[in-house]
Amino acid sequence: MASRSLGLHVARKQDAARNGAVERRNLLTVCRFSVKTLLDRSCLDTIDESSPEFTNFVSILEQILSHRLKGQTTWFGYETHRSFWDYVKAACSKVSPSCIHSIESMENVRSSRAKGRAWIRLVLMEKRLSEYISSALRDFKTTRKWYEDGAIMLGEEAGLLADTLIGLNTIDFSFCLKGEGLNGSCPAVIDYTPYLKSIQRENSISSDEELRTLGSSGSENTTPEKMAASTAEAILTEQSSWVCRCKRLEQKYRMALEQKCYLEELVRLREAQLSQVIPQNKALQQRLTDTHLSHTLEKEQLEYIVLELQDQLEGGHPLSDRSVWVSAVSSQQ
């Protein structure tokens, strides 16, 4: 009986581990699809709060950051729910410059969940979401303290998540941090329908070709008309597949072009900033040289005054004769 209960316990533990692995894999897969849909949408339109692709992405990211997040134990032994914003504050404290203090000082954002959502929007507009996630993952001690075993943030997949989020730096987001999207009472709900459709679209062409191949091979009594019809249908199918491939290549080209334009604009901005900083640096160096020269001259004058006063004292002048010292100083100045 004891061995049977032990076997059931081991089986339940294995099932739980398997289910946890499936959950992690599904969330990361959906996150990659979500980033892809955001990049595709950004080529055609501006991404703002009303975009369904953005709403879905934020829900997915919230679920990833909240996956197996430890609760807070009170004095009475109860465990209260924590928000991922508390973890972000602790793990991203070394990021510089940081927007965490700005989020904390916002008057219209009070709950931890609302502050976390405001942080996601702000770092997306700053194009630094991947930087914050990478910095948090590097602080493994804090991450281990805040998450339970089996969490996405503790697995090897977390590094892939940070790499996936780098692509969002090419998108110019625009949000209002006073909107309804920051409502902390609304839970994060993921809509899986767009991603299921995209998977079906990718597999539809190959599935149709396989079905047609099976149908043609199963029919023995084929007439020339049927042969010609099947050939024409196969040609049309091949043409449509080539059209789909061309569209995908065109989409990738547009994405690469957008990234190229963004990097060129960033380089141009940095060059303009550098051209402004160089004259300022030269002016500061000149001021430093002038200050050093004037300091050297003042030091030499003071040394000369001290020597002259010593000569006057050695020549028999009394020490209380302040007029000599005052006249010497005024003459040197």
Side-chain angles (χ1 to χ4, degrees):
M1 190 69 180
S3 61
R4 183 178 178 182
S5 62
L6 181 60
L8 290 174
H9 177 71
V10 171
R12 291 196 191 99
K13 196 172 182 180
Q14 290 177 351
D15 291 340
R18 192 181 304 111
N19 294 333
V22 171
E23 184 182 7
R24 292 196 303 269
R25 185 170 62 251
N26 289 341
L27 280 174
L28 291 171
T29 302
V30 171
C31 182
R32 286 196 298 270
F33 277 119
S34 177
V35 172
K36 181 178 181 299
T37 54
L38 276 175
L39 292 172
D40 294 344
R41 178 65 182 270
S42 66
C43 297
L44 305 174
D45 198 1
T46 304
I47 304 295
D48 55 12
E49 196 75 45
S50 61
S51 303
E53 293 85 359
F54 169 74
T55 305
N56 228 17
F57 168 74
V58 172
S59 300
I60 294 168
L61 187 60
E62 284 188 34
Q63 297 232 2
I64 290 176
L65 294 176
S66 303
H67 183 251
R68 301 187 69 83
L69 184 68
K70 290 182 180 179
Q72 185 176 8
T73 305
T74 62
W75 287 96
F76 301 100
Y78 297 104
E79 188 173 297
T80 59
H81 177 71
R82 271 177 172 173
S83 172
F84 68 90
W85 168 244
D86 301 321
Y87 163 71
V88 169
K89 286 192 300 181
C92 299
S93 59
K94 298 180 181 179
V95 177
S96 179
S98 176
C99 64
I100 293 177
H101 180 70
S102 301
I103 298 296
E104 284 289 335
S105 61
M106 293 177 65
E107 297 180 355
N108 62 312
V109 181
R110 300 188 180 276
S111 65
S112 295
R113 179 181 289 181
K115 289 179 181 179
R117 292 176 176 178
W119 170 77
I120 291 175
R121 286 158 174 78
L122 186 56
V123 295
L124 281 174
M125 288 191 289
E126 292 180 351
K127 305 180 187 296
R128 300 179 62 198
L129 177 59
S130 177
E131 177 185 351
Y132 275 88
I133 298 296
S134 300
S135 176
L137 292 175
R138 283 194 293 269
D139 191 356
F140 185 76
K141 184 177 180 181
T142 303
T143 306
R144 184 71 183 176
K145 178 181 177 182
W146 282 79
Y147 286 93
E148 298 177 355
D149 291 336
I152 294 178
M153 298 297 289
L154 291 177
E156 297 178 355
E157 307 93 345
L160 299 176
L161 172 65
D163 295 338
T164 302
L165 297 177
I166 292 179
L168 298 177
N169 295 345
T170 61
I171 303 178
D172 294 325
F173 292 95
S174 177
F175 305 116
C176 176
L177 298 183
K178 298 181 180 180
E180 298 180 356
L182 303 181
N183 188 3
S185 60
C186 298
V189 181
I190 303 176
D191 181 15
Y192 291 95
T193 307
Y195 313 120
L196 295 176
K197 288 181 179 178
S198 63
I199 294 173
Q200 290 174 359
R201 278 198 301 268
E202 290 178 358
N203 298 331
S204 61
I205 297 174
S206 59
S207 299
D208 292 341
E209 291 178 352
E210 290 176 359
L211 288 174
R212 291 191 182 94
T213 304
L214 291 174
S216 61
S217 62
S219 60
E220 298 178 354
N221 299 324
T222 56
T223 61
E225 291 80 5
K226 291 183 179 180
M227 290 284 292
S230 61
T231 304
E233 190 176 0
I235 293 173
L236 290 176
T237 303
E238 186 177 0
Q239 288 179 352
S240 62
S241 66
W242 278 108
V243 169
C244 293
R245 292 177 184 175
C246 290
K247 287 183 179 179
R248 283 197 291 267
L249 287 175
E250 183 181 1
Q251 193 173 12
K252 290 181 180 179
Y253 171 75
R254 288 181 179 177
M255 189 184 305
L257 185 61
E258 290 286 337
Q259 294 176 355
K260 175 177 174 293
C261 293
Y262 166 72
L263 292 175
E264 288 179 350
E265 181 65 21
L266 187 62
V267 170
R268 187 193 64 79
L269 180 62
R270 293 293 181 266
E271 288 179 349
Q273 293 176 351
L274 184 62
S275 63
Q276 294 176 359
V277 168
I278 289 176
Q280 295 176 1
N281 188 22
K282 290 182 178 179
L284 289 175
Q285 288 181 352
Q286 184 63 35
R287 287 179 58 185
L288 182 63
T289 304
D290 296 342
T291 304
H292 180 70
L293 181 60
S294 101
H295 175 70
T296 304
L297 292 175
E298 289 178 359
K299 183 179 178 182
E300 291 178 355
Q301 290 177 358
L302 289 174
E303 290 177 352
Y304 179 76
I305 292 172
V306 169
L307 292 175
E308 186 175 353
L309 289 174
Q310 288 178 352
D311 293 339
Q312 291 178 0
L313 289 173
E314 291 175 357
H317 295 283
L319 186 62
S320 61
D321 192 0
R322 298 174 57 88
S323 62
V324 176
W325 181 80
V326 172
S327 62
V329 172
S330 61
S331 63
Q332 292 297 329
Q333 289 181 348

mmCIF file with all atom_site columns, all heavy atoms in Angstrom, residues 157-173:
data_model
loop_
_atom_site.group_PDB
_atom_site.id
_atom_site.type_symbol
_atom_site.label_atom_id
_atom_site.label_alt_id
_atom_site.label_comp_id
_atom_site.label_asym_id
_atom_site.label_entity_id
_atom_site.label_seq_id
_atom_site.pdbx_PDB_ins_code
_atom_site.Cartn_x
_atom_site.Cartn_y
_atom_site.Cartn_z
_atom_site.occupancy
_atom_site.B_iso_or_equiv
_atom_site.pdbx_formal_charge
_atom_site.auth_seq_id
_atom_site.auth_comp_id
_atom_site.auth_asym_id
_atom_site.auth_atom_id
_atom_site.pdbx_PDB_model_num
ATOM 1   N N   . GLU A 1 157 ? 15.099 29.510 -20.756 1.00 0.00 ? 157 GLU A N   1
ATOM 2   C CA  . GLU A 1 157 ? 14.320 30.209 -21.771 1.00 0.00 ? 157 GLU A CA  1
ATOM 3   C C   . GLU A 1 157 ? 14.263 31.709 -21.523 1.00 0.00 ? 157 GLU A C   1
ATOM 4   O O   . GLU A 1 157 ? 13.906 32.475 -22.424 1.00 0.00 ? 157 GLU A O   1
ATOM 5   C CB  . GLU A 1 157 ? 12.887 29.652 -21.811 1.00 0.00 ? 157 GLU A CB  1
ATOM 6   C CG  . GLU A 1 157 ? 12.802 28.143 -21.968 1.00 0.00 ? 157 GLU A CG  1
ATOM 7   C CD  . GLU A 1 157 ? 12.725 27.447 -20.621 1.00 0.00 ? 157 GLU A CD  1
ATOM 8   O OE1 . GLU A 1 157 ? 13.034 28.110 -19.603 1.00 0.00 ? 157 GLU A OE1 1
ATOM 9   O OE2 . GLU A 1 157 ? 12.374 26.251 -20.588 1.00 0.00 ? 157 GLU A OE2 1
ATOM 10  N N   . ALA A 1 158 ? 14.579 32.156 -20.300 1.00 0.00 ? 158 ALA A N   1
ATOM 11  C CA  . ALA A 1 158 ? 14.499 33.582 -19.992 1.00 0.00 ? 158 ALA A CA  1
ATOM 12  C C   . ALA A 1 158 ? 15.476 34.391 -20.842 1.00 0.00 ? 158 ALA A C   1
ATOM 13  O O   . ALA A 1 158 ? 15.170 35.515 -21.258 1.00 0.00 ? 158 ALA A O   1
ATOM 14  C CB  . ALA A 1 158 ? 14.767 33.813 -18.509 1.00 0.00 ? 158 ALA A CB  1
ATOM 15  N N   . GLY A 1 159 ? 16.663 33.831 -21.109 1.00 0.00 ? 159 GLY A N   1
ATOM 16  C CA  . GLY A 1 159 ? 17.603 34.528 -21.988 1.00 0.00 ? 159 GLY A CA  1
ATOM 17  C C   . GLY A 1 159 ? 17.066 34.690 -23.395 1.00 0.00 ? 159 GLY A C   1
ATOM 18  O O   . GLY A 1 159 ? 17.260 35.726 -24.040 1.00 0.00 ? 159 GLY A O   1
ATOM 19  N N   . LEU A 1 160 ? 16.358 33.667 -23.879 1.00 0.00 ? 160 LEU A N   1
ATOM 20  C CA  . LEU A 1 160 ? 15.722 33.773 -25.196 1.00 0.00 ? 160 LEU A CA  1
ATOM 21  C C   . LEU A 1 160 ? 14.627 34.831 -25.195 1.00 0.00 ? 160 LEU A C   1
ATOM 22  O O   . LEU A 1 160 ? 14.415 35.512 -26.200 1.00 0.00 ? 160 LEU A O   1
ATOM 23  C CB  . LEU A 1 160 ? 15.144 32.412 -25.594 1.00 0.00 ? 160 LEU A CB  1
ATOM 24  C CG  . LEU A 1 160 ? 16.154 31.261 -25.725 1.00 0.00 ? 160 LEU A CG  1
ATOM 25  C CD1 . LEU A 1 160 ? 15.424 29.952 -26.036 1.00 0.00 ? 160 LEU A CD1 1
ATOM 26  C CD2 . LEU A 1 160 ? 17.178 31.565 -26.809 1.00 0.00 ? 160 LEU A CD2 1
ATOM 27  N N   . LEU A 1 161 ? 13.939 34.974 -24.058 1.00 0.00 ? 161 LEU A N   1
ATOM 28  C CA  . LEU A 1 161 ? 12.913 36.014 -23.960 1.00 0.00 ? 161 LEU A CA  1
ATOM 29  C C   . LEU A 1 161 ? 13.522 37.402 -24.125 1.00 0.00 ? 161 LEU A C   1
ATOM 30  O O   . LEU A 1 161 ? 12.992 38.243 -24.864 1.00 0.00 ? 161 LEU A O   1
ATOM 31  C CB  . LEU A 1 161 ? 12.211 35.901 -22.600 1.00 0.00 ? 161 LEU A CB  1
ATOM 32  C CG  . LEU A 1 161 ? 11.233 37.025 -22.251 1.00 0.00 ? 161 LEU A CG  1
ATOM 33  C CD1 . LEU A 1 161 ? 10.054 37.027 -23.195 1.00 0.00 ? 161 LEU A CD1 1
ATOM 34  C CD2 . LEU A 1 161 ? 10.767 36.896 -20.806 1.00 0.00 ? 161 LEU A CD2 1
ATOM 35  N N   . ALA A 1 162 ? 14.647 37.648 -23.455 1.00 0.00 ? 162 ALA A N   1
ATOM 36  C CA  . ALA A 1 162 ? 15.305 38.956 -23.587 1.00 0.00 ? 162 ALA A CA  1
ATOM 37  C C   . ALA A 1 162 ? 15.755 39.204 -25.021 1.00 0.00 ? 162 ALA A C   1
ATOM 38  O O   . ALA A 1 162 ? 15.646 40.325 -25.541 1.00 0.00 ? 162 ALA A O   1
ATOM 39  C CB  . ALA A 1 162 ? 16.496 39.036 -22.630 1.00 0.00 ? 162 ALA A CB  1
ATOM 40  N N   . ASP A 1 163 ? 16.257 38.163 -25.684 1.00 0.00 ? 163 ASP A N   1
ATOM 41  C CA  . ASP A 1 163 ? 16.668 38.320 -27.085 1.00 0.00 ? 163 ASP A CA  1
ATOM 42  C C   . ASP A 1 163 ? 15.476 38.591 -27.991 1.00 0.00 ? 163 ASP A C   1
ATOM 43  O O   . ASP A 1 163 ? 15.574 39.361 -28.957 1.00 0.00 ? 163 ASP A O   1
ATOM 44  C CB  . ASP A 1 163 ? 17.398 37.061 -27.554 1.00 0.00 ? 163 ASP A CB  1
ATOM 45  C CG  . ASP A 1 163 ? 18.709 36.852 -26.812 1.00 0.00 ? 163 ASP A CG  1
ATOM 46  O OD1 . ASP A 1 163 ? 19.242 37.838 -26.267 1.00 0.00 ? 163 ASP A OD1 1
ATOM 47  O OD2 . ASP A 1 163 ? 19.187 35.702 -26.748 1.00 0.00 ? 163 ASP A OD2 1
ATOM 48  N N   . THR A 1 164 ? 14.344 37.959 -27.696 1.00 0.00 ? 164 THR A N   1
ATOM 49  C CA  . THR A 1 164 ? 13.148 38.171 -28.503 1.00 0.00 ? 164 THR A CA  1
ATOM 50  C C   . THR A 1 164 ? 12.651 39.608 -28.391 1.00 0.00 ? 164 THR A C   1
ATOM 51  O O   . THR A 1 164 ? 12.202 40.209 -29.385 1.00 0.00 ? 164 THR A O   1
ATOM 52  C CB  . THR A 1 164 ? 12.031 37.198 -28.066 1.00 0.00 ? 164 THR A CB  1
ATOM 53  O OG1 . THR A 1 164 ? 12.502 35.855 -28.197 1.00 0.00 ? 164 THR A OG1 1
ATOM 54  C CG2 . THR A 1 164 ? 10.788 37.376 -28.911 1.00 0.00 ? 164 THR A CG2 1
ATOM 55  N N   . LEU A 1 165 ? 12.750 40.184 -27.204 1.00 0.00 ? 165 LEU A N   1
ATOM 56  C CA  . LEU A 1 165 ? 12.230 41.533 -26.970 1.00 0.00 ? 165 LEU A CA  1
ATOM 57  C C   . LEU A 1 165 ? 13.099 42.618 -27.591 1.00 0.00 ? 165 LEU A C   1
ATOM 58  O O   . LEU A 1 165 ? 12.678 43.776 -27.646 1.00 0.00 ? 165 LEU A O   1
ATOM 59  C CB  . LEU A 1 165 ? 12.099 41.783 -25.466 1.00 0.00 ? 165 LEU A CB  1
ATOM 60  C CG  . LEU A 1 165 ? 11.108 40.866 -24.732 1.00 0.00 ? 165 LEU A CG  1
ATOM 61  C CD1 . LEU A 1 165 ? 11.132 41.157 -23.248 1.00 0.00 ? 165 LEU A CD1 1
ATOM 62  C CD2 . LEU A 1 165 ? 9.703  41.025 -25.288 1.00 0.00 ? 165 LEU A CD2 1
ATOM 63  N N   . ILE A 1 166 ? 14.319 42.274 -28.047 1.00 0.00 ? 166 ILE A N   1
ATOM 64  C CA  . ILE A 1 166 ? 15.174 43.294 -28.670 1.00 0.00 ? 166 ILE A CA  1
ATOM 65  C C   . ILE A 1 166 ? 14.521 43.845 -29.944 1.00 0.00 ? 166 ILE A C   1
ATOM 66  O O   . ILE A 1 166 ? 14.660 45.028 -30.271 1.00 0.00 ? 166 ILE A O   1
ATOM 67  C CB  . ILE A 1 166 ? 16.564 42.695 -28.973 1.00 0.00 ? 166 ILE A CB  1
ATOM 68  C CG1 . ILE A 1 166 ? 17.303 42.398 -27.674 1.00 0.00 ? 166 ILE A CG1 1
ATOM 69  C CG2 . ILE A 1 166 ? 17.394 43.643 -29.824 1.00 0.00 ? 166 ILE A CG2 1
ATOM 70  C CD1 . ILE A 1 166 ? 18.666 41.782 -27.872 1.00 0.00 ? 166 ILE A CD1 1
ATOM 71  N N   . GLY A 1 167 ? 13.792 42.984 -30.668 1.00 0.00 ? 167 GLY A N   1
ATOM 72  C CA  . GLY A 1 167 ? 13.159 43.439 -31.903 1.00 0.00 ? 167 GLY A CA  1
ATOM 73  C C   . GLY A 1 167 ? 12.179 44.570 -31.705 1.00 0.00 ? 167 GLY A C   1
ATOM 74  O O   . GLY A 1 167 ? 11.908 45.340 -32.637 1.00 0.00 ? 167 GLY A O   1
ATOM 75  N N   . LEU A 1 168 ? 11.626 44.715 -30.491 1.00 0.00 ? 168 LEU A N   1
ATOM 76  C CA  . LEU A 1 168 ? 10.661 45.789 -30.237 1.00 0.00 ? 168 LEU A CA  1
ATOM 77  C C   . LEU A 1 168 ? 11.321 47.160 -30.209 1.00 0.00 ? 168 LEU A C   1
ATOM 78  O O   . LEU A 1 168 ? 10.620 48.177 -30.216 1.00 0.00 ? 168 LEU A O   1
ATOM 79  C CB  . LEU A 1 168 ? 9.946  45.538 -28.907 1.00 0.00 ? 168 LEU A CB  1
ATOM 80  C CG  . LEU A 1 168 ? 9.117  44.253 -28.832 1.00 0.00 ? 168 LEU A CG  1
ATOM 81  C CD1 . LEU A 1 168 ? 8.518  44.093 -27.453 1.00 0.00 ? 168 LEU A CD1 1
ATOM 82  C CD2 . LEU A 1 168 ? 8.014  44.255 -29.887 1.00 0.00 ? 168 LEU A CD2 1
ATOM 83  N N   . ASN A 1 169 ? 12.653 47.212 -30.156 1.00 0.00 ? 169 ASN A N   1
ATOM 84  C CA  . ASN A 1 169 ? 13.336 48.511 -30.168 1.00 0.00 ? 169 ASN A CA  1
ATOM 85  C C   . ASN A 1 169 ? 13.196 49.233 -31.498 1.00 0.00 ? 169 ASN A C   1
ATOM 86  O O   . ASN A 1 169 ? 13.486 50.423 -31.593 1.00 0.00 ? 169 ASN A O   1
ATOM 87  C CB  . ASN A 1 169 ? 14.821 48.319 -29.849 1.00 0.00 ? 169 ASN A CB  1
ATOM 88  C CG  . ASN A 1 169 ? 15.048 47.812 -28.441 1.00 0.00 ? 169 ASN A CG  1
ATOM 89  O OD1 . ASN A 1 169 ? 14.150 47.849 -27.603 1.00 0.00 ? 169 ASN A OD1 1
ATOM 90  N ND2 . ASN A 1 169 ? 16.237 47.320 -28.168 1.00 0.00 ? 169 ASN A ND2 1
ATOM 91  N N   . THR A 1 170 ? 12.764 48.531 -32.536 1.00 0.00 ? 170 THR A N   1
ATOM 92  C CA  . THR A 1 170 ? 12.597 49.173 -33.842 1.00 0.00 ? 170 THR A CA  1
ATOM 93  C C   . THR A 1 170 ? 11.233 49.827 -33.994 1.00 0.00 ? 170 THR A C   1
ATOM 94  O O   . THR A 1 170 ? 10.984 50.479 -35.005 1.00 0.00 ? 170 THR A O   1
ATOM 95  C CB  . THR A 1 170 ? 12.767 48.126 -34.956 1.00 0.00 ? 170 THR A CB  1
ATOM 96  O OG1 . THR A 1 170 ? 11.758 47.113 -34.810 1.00 0.00 ? 170 THR A OG1 1
ATOM 97  C CG2 . THR A 1 170 ? 14.135 47.471 -34.873 1.00 0.00 ? 170 THR A CG2 1
ATOM 98  N N   . ILE A 1 171 ? 10.351 49.667 -33.012 1.00 0.00 ? 171 ILE A N   1
ATOM 99  C CA  . ILE A 1 171 ? 8.991  50.197 -33.106 1.00 0.00 ? 171 ILE A CA  1
ATOM 100 C C   . ILE A 1 171 ? 8.897  51.476 -32.295 1.00 0.00 ? 171 ILE A C   1
ATOM 101 O O   . ILE A 1 171 ? 9.392  51.555 -31.165 1.00 0.00 ? 171 ILE A O   1
ATOM 102 C CB  . ILE A 1 171 ? 7.964  49.162 -32.591 1.00 0.00 ? 171 ILE A CB  1
ATOM 103 C CG1 . ILE A 1 171 ? 8.082  47.856 -33.375 1.00 0.00 ? 171 ILE A CG1 1
ATOM 104 C CG2 . ILE A 1 171 ? 6.543  49.710 -32.718 1.00 0.00 ? 171 ILE A CG2 1
ATOM 105 C CD1 . ILE A 1 171 ? 7.146  46.773 -32.888 1.00 0.00 ? 171 ILE A CD1 1
ATOM 106 N N   . ASP A 1 172 ? 8.252  52.479 -32.864 1.00 0.00 ? 172 ASP A N   1
ATOM 107 C CA  . ASP A 1 172 ? 8.006  53.739 -32.155 1.00 0.00 ? 172 ASP A CA  1
ATOM 108 C C   . ASP A 1 172 ? 6.623  53.666 -31.503 1.00 0.00 ? 172 ASP A C   1
ATOM 109 O O   . ASP A 1 172 ? 5.592  53.871 -32.151 1.00 0.00 ? 172 ASP A O   1
ATOM 110 C CB  . ASP A 1 172 ? 8.074  54.924 -33.130 1.00 0.00 ? 172 ASP A CB  1
ATOM 111 C CG  . ASP A 1 172 ? 9.470  55.114 -33.687 1.00 0.00 ? 172 ASP A CG  1
ATOM 112 O OD1 . ASP A 1 172 ? 10.438 54.865 -32.947 1.00 0.00 ? 172 ASP A OD1 1
ATOM 113 O OD2 . ASP A 1 172 ? 9.596  55.501 -34.862 1.00 0.00 ? 172 ASP A OD2 1
ATOM 114 N N   . PHE A 1 173 ? 6.601  53.361 -30.210 1.00 0.00 ? 173 PHE A N   1
ATOM 115 C CA  . PHE A 1 173 ? 5.350  53.258 -29.467 1.00 0.00 ? 173 PHE A CA  1
ATOM 116 C C   . PHE A 1 173 ? 4.903  54.641 -28.998 1.00 0.00 ? 173 PHE A C   1
ATOM 117 O O   . PHE A 1 173 ? 5.724  55.550 -28.791 1.00 0.00 ? 173 PHE A O   1
ATOM 118 C CB  . PHE A 1 173 ? 5.513  52.340 -28.259 1.00 0.00 ? 173 PHE A CB  1
ATOM 119 C CG  . PHE A 1 173 ? 5.737  50.895 -28.618 1.00 0.00 ? 173 PHE A CG  1
ATOM 120 C CD1 . PHE A 1 173 ? 7.016  50.374 -28.693 1.00 0.00 ? 173 PHE A CD1 1
ATOM 121 C CD2 . PHE A 1 173 ? 4.661  50.065 -28.872 1.00 0.00 ? 173 PHE A CD2 1
ATOM 122 C CE1 . PHE A 1 173 ? 7.230  49.045 -29.010 1.00 0.00 ? 173 PHE A CE1 1
ATOM 123 C CE2 . PHE A 1 173 ? 4.858  48.732 -29.193 1.00 0.00 ? 173 PHE A CE2 1
ATOM 124 C CZ  . PHE A 1 173 ? 6.144  48.221 -29.260 1.00 0.00 ? 173 PHE A CZ  1
#
